[in-house]
């Protein structure tokens, strides 16, 4: 573990690992990938460099070193008498301390710098252990770099995330040195090595702040923050406000960033170049920092170009390791259940209607038969338990198939009509919208913590009768479903009260019986659409829940919030069934795959992750966005995922291969809604810039059918064809588009609140 | 007197802070809200620090007190989500258990009633003089196991099925460890089977505990409003509070 937050258990393990490493003698810094290894490498190097200088210390072995450490500890706390006593009793020569002391005062040398690093480390360790940190911190931090032979003390068992590597005053020198080196390499390598700048800058800055070198930190920041890529500006702004160690405490995202390894993908040649350079110099502080905080995923092949790198970078954790995207994902659709469709015509079409995509793999051919062949890419029917179909569901499916036959086939020549539902008098408080699948109801979540449901069709909303009246009706009559409704309560809209904070996510269940709403108060509420009352409040996130969605089969739903996890719930369990943890920052968008076996989450750490519902593991990590992701959409054939973020770009991902296959530029503001048309030919995107844009999805996915995927690196050079793919831009006057929905007949519905400013 | 154009210095500082943090578009009220928050926060910290200093018998408030005050306030009001390793550990434990199988045809799939919000959260007060509890048997014309309900809206979707249960003339059912509300629709215990009792009398009678188990049963006769019915109570059990006794 690179960081130990709290917990007495971990110190012991850390201590053990370090004693082992020390026992190994001078360890080698490079090539050790394990976290424990890298952490102990620094003290090991320290001991390696320190021991030659102090002969007496080396001869003593481990015990001697420990004693020296204790001596240092006592000295720092100004327990001079104890120092004397210990020195006398342990029989340590005065000269030992003196020589070590003089070394430290010399400073500026690599070894001494390392030694001082350990002292700094001891300081930070001390501060962790002591309860009253204030006093010890101030004294320990202010003392100049004292000698510590090694930071392998028995006293200080908790290792902080930042052992100070080197003299703070020299950080600027280290960084400038690296900068000069990188600028001097060949062009082809320069782009790749430039990836190092940002993570190194942030980690070095945070290290300075954490070790209370405020002035150096500020100077460092001022000098080098301007060099960073423009898409990191938001992060840098946050960092600029962070000058003291206390500022870091509450910021979980930053803490996660410190403790996780920033992943870089660099070609082998460039890596060799870098390694050679950093190891040949005496002062290899940068190398230590790289070892500790960066994970370099080496690939064999051509170095990437700047544009390729830019398209994939931007996330808070770097890029994704190649093996993170190697797991098999069953992205196929589940077989539709066989339903006896009492249709007079179009029998075959109806049976095969599964939302057929235009593009199909040749194996999956369901034309005109009850195909027994299992799609190799589809999950088993019983991979996850799914609710069985009730009679009402079967009726729904029949309706669906009927509507599907009347569906308009869209294409670049036949664009959908767009019907816009504008929420008036919302006073900028409309925060979430959802449509039912058959487009009969709209629900809106508002910042005043209400949920309102409207009927789109002329049919009004009615409540179920009370039990008294229900006992009177004739249960055997044919229209019993009509009779149970209370006519007196018919109205165009209903208001649902219950939440105590703005509603950020809303979702209808596929059978139109339930409505979910997630709110800033940390709960997700299930409302009944028969009685228009709240049924359950699911508590689990204790922080704002930014999004929620029912699964396409009902029963399961997913929610994601500020606590950086997404949770999978079932309506009949009051606790979540799965917790998807791994994001570094808030989970802002959660969507189910069409086969309900996978959940996609988009986060403020600018990555999209795909999780397996069966075991909660993360099967895909997609990086490339430069801002928090606010919308996700799966294509109807289940193969592709589209994501939209605050950077105004829509990125298209191939789930099976785990690669980016398209980038749609055009929007100028956050994209809050993405929807594929019913057959997957058109992708509609709605944004805060008051436009709806239609993109040619078929063409976007066709273009990358080539076998670039099989290349080991999987780096695609994406053609900049956003203009060709853009089929139309439709502007509203001043209504940001919050939600999009294709009706079953491929009419596009859009919703937003009129913003009068 | 300051002209209306000059903005107070605090507000200017706040505007500058917002600009530095990259916030360019905001309503004018935001500055006032931020200033209010700042004032309230600083005041509470300093007051806390004063208390700590007094506790430590110091005459002046110093930096340590302030630091301690900030620390305590952070842990209390401005909590942050759990750290990553904790979340990963919890997730690992949760994700190991297999997904539970789904029982077929079980009606609305909701958690146990205790975790739902479907129970009534009110109880009607009795209007009339209460009948003193009489020892001995009281024929219970209708024993409905369930909630005291006069809710205008039906709580459950399964109401049709409830009818059949409730119209059973209940003999004292063995009640294990639960409190039940038994509803007598009217003061006349004999007129039983009417679905909609009309008389609005309410009586609270306590059955002799020796009659049924060791648990006390509160019998209330509901005031019948136009929407309510006593046999419409759901099958759910309600946990009676102790304060039901004070109605006797």
């Amino acid at each position: 573990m690179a960081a130990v937050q709290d917990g007495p258990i971990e110190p012991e393990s850390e201590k053990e690992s370090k004693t082992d490493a020390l026992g190994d003698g001078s360890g080698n810094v490079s090539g050790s990938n394990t976290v424990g290894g890298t952490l102990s490498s620094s003290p090991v190097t320290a001991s390696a460099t320190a021991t030659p200088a102090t002969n007496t210390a080396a001869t003593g072995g481990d015990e001697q070193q420990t004693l020296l450490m204790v001596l240092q500890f006592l000295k720092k706390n100004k327990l001079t008498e104890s120092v004397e006593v210990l020195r006398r009793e342990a029989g340590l020569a005065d000269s030992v301390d003196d020589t070590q002391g003089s070394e430290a005062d010399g400073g500026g040398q690599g070894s001494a710098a390392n030694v001082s690093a350990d002292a700094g480390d001891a300081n930070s360790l001390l501060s962790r252990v002591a309860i009253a940190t204030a006093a010890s911190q101030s004294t320990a931090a202010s003392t100049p770099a004292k000698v510590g032979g090694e930071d392998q003390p028995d006293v200080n068992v908790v290792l902080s995330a930042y052992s100070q590597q080197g003299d703070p005053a020299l950080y600027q020198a280290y960084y400038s040195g690296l900068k000069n080196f990188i600028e001097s390499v060949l062009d082809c390598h320069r782009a790749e090595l430039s990836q190092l700048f940002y993570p190194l800058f942030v980690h070095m800055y945070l290290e300075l702040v954490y070790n209370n070198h405020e002035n150096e930190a500020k100077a460092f920041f001022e000098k080098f923050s301007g060099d960073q890529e423009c898409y990191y500006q938001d992060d840098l702004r946050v960092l600029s406000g962070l000058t003291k160690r206390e500022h870091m405490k509450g910021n979980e995202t930053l803490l996660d960033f410190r403790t996780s390894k920033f992943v870089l993908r660099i070609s082998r040649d460039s890596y060799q170049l870098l390694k050679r350079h950093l190891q040949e110099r005496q002062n290899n502080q940068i190398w230590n920092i790289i070892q500790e905080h960066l994970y370099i995923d080496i690939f064999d092949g051509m170095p990437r170009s700047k544009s390729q790198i830019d398209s994939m970078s931007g996330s808070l954790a770097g890029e994704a390791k190649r093996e993170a995207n190697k797991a098999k994902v069953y992205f196929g659709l589940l077989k539709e259940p066989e339903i006896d469709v009492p249709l007079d015509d179009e029998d075959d079409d109806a049976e095969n209607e599964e939302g057929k995509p235009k593009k199909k793999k040749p194996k999956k051919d369901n034309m005109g038969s009850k195909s027994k062949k299992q799609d190799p890419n589809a999950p088993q029917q019983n991979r996850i338990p799914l609710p069985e179909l009730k009679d009402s569901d079967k009726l729904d499916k029949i309706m669906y198939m009927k509507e599907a036959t009347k569906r308009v086939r869209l294409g670049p020549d036949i664009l959908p009509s767009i019907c816009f539902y504008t929420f008036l008098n919302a006073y900028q408080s409309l925060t979430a919208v959802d449509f039912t699948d058959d487009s009969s109801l709209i629900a809106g979540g508002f910042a005043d913590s209400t949920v309102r449901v409207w009927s789109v069709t002329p049919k009004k909303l009615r409540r179920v009768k009370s039990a008294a009246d229900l006992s009177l009706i004739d249960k055997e009559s044919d229209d019993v479903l009509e009779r149970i409704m209370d006519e007196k309560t018919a109205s165009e809209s209903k208001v649902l009260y219950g939440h105590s904070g703005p509603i950020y996510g809303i979702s209808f269940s596929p059978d139109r019986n339930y409505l979910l709403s997630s709110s800033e108060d940390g709960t997700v509420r299930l409302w009944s659409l028969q009685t228009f009352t709240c049924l359950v409040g699911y508590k689990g996130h204790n922080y704002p829940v930014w999004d929620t969605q029912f699964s396409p089969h009902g029963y399961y739903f997913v929610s994601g919030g500020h606590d950086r996890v997404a949770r999978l719930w079932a309506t009949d369990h009051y606790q979540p069934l799965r917790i998807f943890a791994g994001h570094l920052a808030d989970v802002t968008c959660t969507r189910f795959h069409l086969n309900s076996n996978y959940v996609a989450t988009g986060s403020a750490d600018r990555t999209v992750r795909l999780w397996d519902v069966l075991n909660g593991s993360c099967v895909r990590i997609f990086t490339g966005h430069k801002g928090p992701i606010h919308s996700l959409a799966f294509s109807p054939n289940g193969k592709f995922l589209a994501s939209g973020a605050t950077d105004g770009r829509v990125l298209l991902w191939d789930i099976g291969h785990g690669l980016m296959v398209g980038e749609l530029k055009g929007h100028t503001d956050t994209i809050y809604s993405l929807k594929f048309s019913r057959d997957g030919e058109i992708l509609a995107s709605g944004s805060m810039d008051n436009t709806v844009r239609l993109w040619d999805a078929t063409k976007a996915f066709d273009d990358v059918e080539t076998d670039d995927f099989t290349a080991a690196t999987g780096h695609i050079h994406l053609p900049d064809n956003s203009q060709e793919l853009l089929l139309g831009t439709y502007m509203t006057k001043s209504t940001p588009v919050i939600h999009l929905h294709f009706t079953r007949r491929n009419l596009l519905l859009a919703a937003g609140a009129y913003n009068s400013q | 007197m300051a002209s209306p154009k000059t903005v107070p210095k605090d507000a200017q500082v706040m505007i500058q802070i917002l600009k530095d943090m990259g916030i360019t578009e905001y309503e004018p009220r935001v500055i006032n809200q931020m200033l209010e928050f700042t004032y309230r926060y600083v005041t509470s910290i300093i007051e806390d620090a004063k208390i700590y200093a007094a506790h430590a018998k110091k005459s002046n408030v110093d930096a340590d007190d302030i630091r301690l005050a900030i620390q305590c306030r952070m842990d209390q009001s401005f909590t942050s989500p759990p750290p990553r390793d904790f979340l990963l550990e919890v997730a690992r434990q949760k994700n190991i258990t297999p997904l539970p199988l789904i029982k077929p045809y079980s009606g609305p799939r909701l958690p146990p009633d205790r975790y739902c919000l479907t129970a009534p959260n009110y109880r009607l007060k009795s209007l009339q003089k209460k009948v003193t509890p009489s020892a001995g048997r009281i024929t219970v014309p209708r024993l409905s196991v369930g909630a005291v309900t006069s809710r205008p809206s039906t709580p459950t979707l399964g109401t049709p099925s409830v009818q059949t249960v409730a119209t059973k003339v209940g003999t004292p059912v063995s009640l294990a460890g639960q409190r039940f509300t038994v509803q007598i629709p009217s003061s006349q215990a004999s007129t039983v089977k009417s679905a909609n009792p009309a008389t609005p009398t309410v009586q609270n009678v306590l059955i002799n505990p020796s009659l049924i188990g060791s648990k006390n049963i509160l019998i209330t006769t509901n005031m019948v409003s136009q929407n309510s019915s006593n046999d419409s109570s759901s099958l759910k059990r309600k946990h009676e509070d102790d304060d039901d006794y004070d109605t006797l």
Side-chain angles (χ1 to χ4, degrees):
Chain A
M1 298 151 280
V4 176
Q5 289 290 333
D6 286 306
I9 312 163
E10 287 146 334
E12 262 78 51
S13 59
E14 284 293 326
K15 188 169 73 156
E16 274 146 21
S17 71
K18 287 170 67 103
T19 43
D20 290 343
L22 204 54
D24 289 343
S26 53
N28 64 336
V29 179
S30 61
S32 66
N33 257 345
T34 62
V35 177
T38 52
L39 277 178
S40 50
S41 68
S42 46
V44 168
T45 19
S47 69
T49 50
T51 40
T54 59
N55 301 327
T56 43
T59 52
D62 285 5
E63 260 187 68
Q64 194 78 344
Q65 292 156 357
T66 318
L67 275 172
L68 284 169
M69 199 52 236
V70 174
L71 211 58
Q72 285 312 313
F73 176 77
L74 294 173
K75 267 195 190 161
K76 268 176 226 126
N77 286 350
K78 301 199 170 56
L79 307 165
T80 44
E81 280 188 44
S82 323
V83 168
E84 290 308 313
V85 171
L86 178 60
R87 208 180 273 169
R88 223 178 321 123
E89 289 191 323
L92 292 172
D94 286 329
S95 57
V96 170
D97 302 315
D98 289 340
T99 48
Q100 291 180 334
S102 61
E103 268 192 64
D105 295 337
Q109 301 175 21
S111 59
N114 262 333
V115 161
S116 65
D118 307 322
D121 189 19
N123 294 344
S124 36
L125 294 176
L126 266 179
S127 63
R128 280 298 194 120
V129 173
I131 308 295
T133 61
S136 59
Q137 257 181 10
S138 47
T139 50
S142 57
T143 53
K146 283 273 184 67
V147 183
E150 309 68 31
D151 59 350
Q152 179 41 36
D154 293 338
V155 187
N156 304 306
V157 292
V158 180
L159 187 68
S160 72
Y162 280 106
S163 53
Q164 188 159 331
Q165 309 272 10
D167 190 355
L170 294 180
Y171 271 33
Q172 291 199 17
Y174 303 151
Y175 192 88
S176 311
L178 182 70
K179 206 167 128 183
N180 292 333
F181 164 66
I182 291 184
E183 274 163 18
S184 67
V185 299
L186 294 174
D187 281 352
C188 57
H189 299 297
R190 190 181 315 149
E192 287 203 323
L193 294 181
S194 305
Q195 289 179 293
L196 280 169
F197 282 139
Y198 177 70
L200 271 180
F201 172 76
V202 178
H203 277 292
M204 287 168 86
Y205 176 76
L206 287 178
E207 207 173 292
L208 288 173
V209 167
Y210 191 84
N211 291 314
N212 296 310
H213 301 291
E214 199 175 323
N215 295 326
E216 285 95 342
K218 280 190 190 156
F220 185 78
F221 190 89
E222 265 186 53
K223 188 154 178 216
F224 296 117
S225 66
D227 300 337
Q228 308 303 327
E229 298 280 353
C230 53
Y231 41 82
Y232 291 122
Q233 283 313 315
D234 288 336
D235 286 349
L236 292 173
R237 205 175 288 128
V238 169
L239 283 180
S240 69
L242 204 106
T243 47
K244 292 196 203 304
R245 186 183 176 159
E246 287 76 22
H247 298 167
M248 287 170 77
K249 271 201 202 133
N251 193 336
E252 286 301 326
T253 302
L254 265 184
L255 293 172
D256 284 353
F257 179 78
R258 280 175 32 192
T259 61
S260 59
K261 291 212 170 203
F262 194 94
V263 176
L264 293 172
R265 307 204 61 229
I266 297 188
S267 68
R268 193 173 289 279
D269 304 327
S270 315
Y271 178 69
Q272 299 292 357
L273 211 64
L274 179 71
K275 188 167 156 186
R276 224 177 310 133
H277 164 81
L278 288 180
Q279 281 187 327
E280 72 191 13
R281 292 158 72 92
Q282 284 300 99
N283 189 354
N284 56 357
Q285 291 313 308
I286 297 267
W287 184 243
N288 291 339
I289 297 175
I290 289 179
Q291 286 294 111
E292 197 167 332
H293 296 300
L294 266 53
Y295 180 92
I296 299 188
D297 196 22
I298 305 173
F299 65 87
D300 293 306
M302 290 287 298
R304 291 190 289 170
S305 69
K306 181 103 176 54
S307 61
Q308 278 182 318
I309 295 173
D310 272 347
S311 65
M312 297 292 290
S313 59
S315 99
L316 206 52
E319 299 187 36
K321 299 183 206 174
R322 198 71 192 111
E323 66 247 18
N325 282 343
K326 286 285 188 210
K328 170 129 176 90
V329 173
Y330 295 102
F331 53 82
L333 301 174
L334 291 175
K335 270 192 154 48
E336 289 288 311
E338 307 291 341
I339 301 180
D340 290 329
V341 182
L343 287 180
D344 37 351
D345 53 351
E346 302 152 340
D347 237 26
D348 284 342
D349 282 349
E351 269 179 353
N352 298 325
E353 195 51 64
E354 295 181 27
K356 261 170 32 179
K358 284 254 190 252
K359 221 158 51 74
K360 271 185 168 310
K361 300 180 79 130
K363 275 192 263 191
K364 189 179 172 189
D365 192 353
N366 291 345
M367 290 304 287
S369 71
K370 305 172 192 357
S371 165
K372 290 283 190 296
K373 270 186 298 194
Q374 170 79 346
D375 181 0
N377 287 316
Q380 302 285 339
Q381 288 290 126
N382 53 2
R383 186 170 185 263
I384 63 166
L386 290 172
E388 84 290 343
L389 283 185
K390 300 203 278 267
D391 287 339
S392 51
D393 293 337
K394 294 198 174 122
L395 288 172
D396 256 347
K397 287 230 178 287
I398 294 174
M399 275 304 300
Y400 182 89
M401 290 183 199
K402 278 195 191 156
E403 296 262 353
T405 57
K406 302 190 190 127
R407 191 179 285 169
V408 176
R409 291 283 146 138
L410 299 175
D413 318 320
I414 312 175
L415 296 178
S417 308
I418 308 181
C419 178
F420 202 103
Y421 286 91
T422 312
F423 287 73
L424 298 173
N425 298 331
Y427 303 113
Q428 300 185 322
S429 81
L430 177 71
T431 44
V433 175
D434 194 26
F435 284 88
T436 52
D437 189 61
D438 64 350
S439 323
S440 57
L441 300 174
I442 303 184
F446 294 88
D448 61 359
S449 72
T450 56
V451 177
R452 285 166 205 262
V453 183
W454 282 271
S455 168
V456 173
T457 57
K459 182 165 184 279
K460 293 198 177 174
L461 299 176
R462 288 172 180 77
R463 277 214 197 120
V464 165
K465 285 182 184 161
S466 67
D469 302 332
L470 278 176
S471 58
L472 296 177
I473 64 175
D474 172 18
K475 294 181 203 61
E476 302 300 322
S477 63
D478 280 337
D479 56 347
V480 62
L481 291 174
E482 301 300 321
R483 293 190 183 209
I484 60 177
M485 293 302 182
D486 189 355
E487 285 302 322
K488 286 183 285 207
T489 62
S491 60
E492 293 267 337
S493 75
K494 297 262 184 235
V495 188
L496 302 172
Y497 296 101
H499 275 295
S500 47
I503 315 279
Y504 291 122
I506 223 175
S507 173
F508 279 105
S509 75
D511 56 6
R512 291 202 317 283
N513 283 333
Y514 301 119
L515 175 67
L516 275 177
S517 60
S518 75
S519 149
E520 179 261 346
D521 61 6
T523 63
V524 179
R525 280 186 185 240
L526 183 75
W527 310 84
S528 162
L529 293 176
Q530 315 283 344
T531 62
F532 292 98
T533 53
C534 182
L535 297 177
V536 195
Y538 299 96
K539 302 184 182 75
H541 301 274
N542 292 324
Y543 294 92
V545 187
W546 301 122
D547 196 14
T548 183
Q549 198 207 23
F550 254 113
S551 102
H553 297 89
Y555 182 69
Y556 294 111
F557 61 95
V558 66
S559 64
H562 176 62
D563 57 353
R564 310 187 317 285
V565 303
R567 290 167 199 251
L568 179 82
W569 313 75
T571 51
D572 58 5
H573 288 78
Y574 61 97
Q575 284 185 338
L577 299 175
R578 290 282 179 264
I579 294 187
F580 305 122
H583 277 292
L584 298 180
D586 309 12
V587 176
T588 48
C589 186
T590 53
R591 287 285 177 269
F592 266 100
H593 189 277
L594 289 167
N595 59 21
S596 291
N597 274 272
Y598 295 95
V599 169
T601 56
S603 158
D605 69 357
R606 302 167 327 239
T607 59
V608 178
R609 285 181 183 235
L610 195 67
W611 308 85
D612 188 349
V613 164
L614 187 63
N615 50 22
S617 57
C618 176
V619 295
R620 292 284 181 268
I621 304 181
F622 298 126
T623 64
H625 274 296
K626 317 275 190 271
I629 289 142
H630 283 288
S631 51
L632 291 168
F634 280 98
S635 69
N637 60 7
K639 285 200 225 168
F640 300 103
L641 175 64
S643 59
T646 54
D647 57 0
R649 289 149 73 227
V650 178
L651 297 181
L652 305 170
W653 311 91
D654 181 323
I655 298 173
H657 296 103
L659 300 164
M660 188 195 296
V661 296
E663 182 181 343
L664 303 172
K665 292 196 262 233
H667 280 293
T668 53
D669 207 337
T670 318
I671 295 165
Y672 270 114
S673 52
L674 280 174
K675 256 305 167 17
F676 279 92
S677 66
R678 290 283 173 163
D679 297 320
E681 314 100 345
I682 301 236
L683 173 63
S685 61
S687 148
M688 292 292 285
D689 62 2
N690 305 341
T691 61
V692 175
R693 282 174 200 248
L694 299 177
W695 311 86
D696 191 347
T698 337
K699 187 144 175 274
F701 295 134
D702 268 342
D703 282 350
V704 268
E705 274 293 3
T706 57
D707 252 347
D708 280 347
F709 297 165
T710 58
T713 60
H715 293 141
I716 319 262
H717 190 80
L718 294 172
D720 189 13
N721 56 354
S722 300
Q723 276 307 107
E724 301 154 20
L725 296 175
L726 179 62
L727 297 173
T729 309
Y730 303 94
M731 281 162 280
T732 68
K733 250 203 237 153
S734 62
T735 308
V737 183
I738 296 191
H739 190 79
L740 291 170
H741 174 77
F742 276 94
T743 65
R744 287 174 175 171
R745 300 199 191 181
N746 269 340
L747 170 70
L748 178 57
L749 304 180
Y754 177 65
N755 183 7
S756 51
Q757 281 146 359
Chain B
M1 182 150 46
S3 72
K5 291 268 185 196
T6 41
V7 173
K9 185 157 170 298
D10 286 346
Q12 283 175 351
V13 170
M14 188 54 70
I15 292 173
Q16 191 58 42
I17 293 177
L18 288 173
K19 195 155 81 141
D20 280 344
M21 295 311 286
I23 304 169
T24 49
E25 293 179 16
Y26 48 87
E27 289 183 22
R29 287 186 306 158
V30 168
I31 300 174
N32 294 7
Q33 284 175 322
M34 295 293 289
L35 284 174
E36 266 187 49
F37 170 77
T38 314
Y39 182 79
R40 202 158 33 102
Y41 176 71
V42 172
T43 315
S44 67
I45 295 285
I46 294 181
E47 277 176 2
D48 283 352
K50 273 205 314 208
I51 296 173
Y52 298 141
H55 176 80
K57 306 222 180 8
K58 287 190 268 197
S59 54
N60 294 326
V61 178
D62 63 9
D64 281 343
D65 299 320
I66 303 275
R67 232 174 260 131
L68 184 61
I70 294 177
Q71 180 80 29
C72 290
R73 189 60 66 168
M74 274 273 282
D75 295 336
Q76 185 189 358
S77 330
F78 302 105
T79 54
S80 47
R84 192 153 174 240
D85 45 358
F86 176 78
L87 289 173
L88 287 171
E89 180 56 35
V90 169
R92 197 185 57 79
Q93 285 177 359
K94 217 16 133 184
N95 295 344
I96 282 178
T97 54
L99 290 172
L101 295 172
I102 306 177
K103 290 195 276 281
Y105 306 115
S106 49
R109 297 194 164 99
L110 295 175
D113 296 336
R114 172 173 342 148
Y115 304 104
C116 287
L117 303 171
T118 46
N121 53 1
Y122 62 88
R123 169 174 58 84
L124 293 182
K125 262 174 60 172
S126 60
L127 267 194
Q128 304 217 334
K129 219 164 41 136
K130 297 163 201 33
V131 175
T132 53
S134 55
R137 298 202 152 252
I138 299 174
T139 54
V140 180
R142 183 174 294 114
L143 182 77
S144 56
V145 176
V148 177
T149 167
S150 305
R151 298 181 78 206
S153 60
T154 9
T156 67
L157 304 172
T159 33
S161 59
V162 178
Q163 305 292 334
T164 51
V165 174
T167 46
K168 261 193 295 211
V169 174
T171 49
V173 184
S174 64
L175 308 153
Q178 288 292 334
R179 291 224 190 92
F180 294 96
T181 309
V182 176
Q183 291 152 358
I184 306 177
S186 66
S187 54
Q188 313 310 56
S190 51
T191 58
V192 178
K193 299 278 189 172
S194 61
N196 271 338
T199 55
T201 52
V202 177
Q203 289 171 341
N204 296 331
V205 176
L206 184 66
I207 285 188
N208 192 328
S210 63
L211 194 59
I212 298 171
S214 58
K215 292 293 172 182
N216 292 322
I217 303 173
L218 183 66
I219 304 179
T220 54
T221 54
N222 274 350
M223 184 160 68
V224 177
S225 63
Q226 62 270 34
N227 288 344
S228 74
S229 86
N230 293 329
D231 55 344
S232 69
S233 48
S234 63
L235 281 169
K236 301 186 192 141
R237 296 174 177 182
K238 182 163 94 84
H239 298 257
E240 291 281 311
D241 293 338
D242 275 333
D243 59 0
D244 278 342
Y245 282 96
D246 56 1
T247 61
L248 295 175

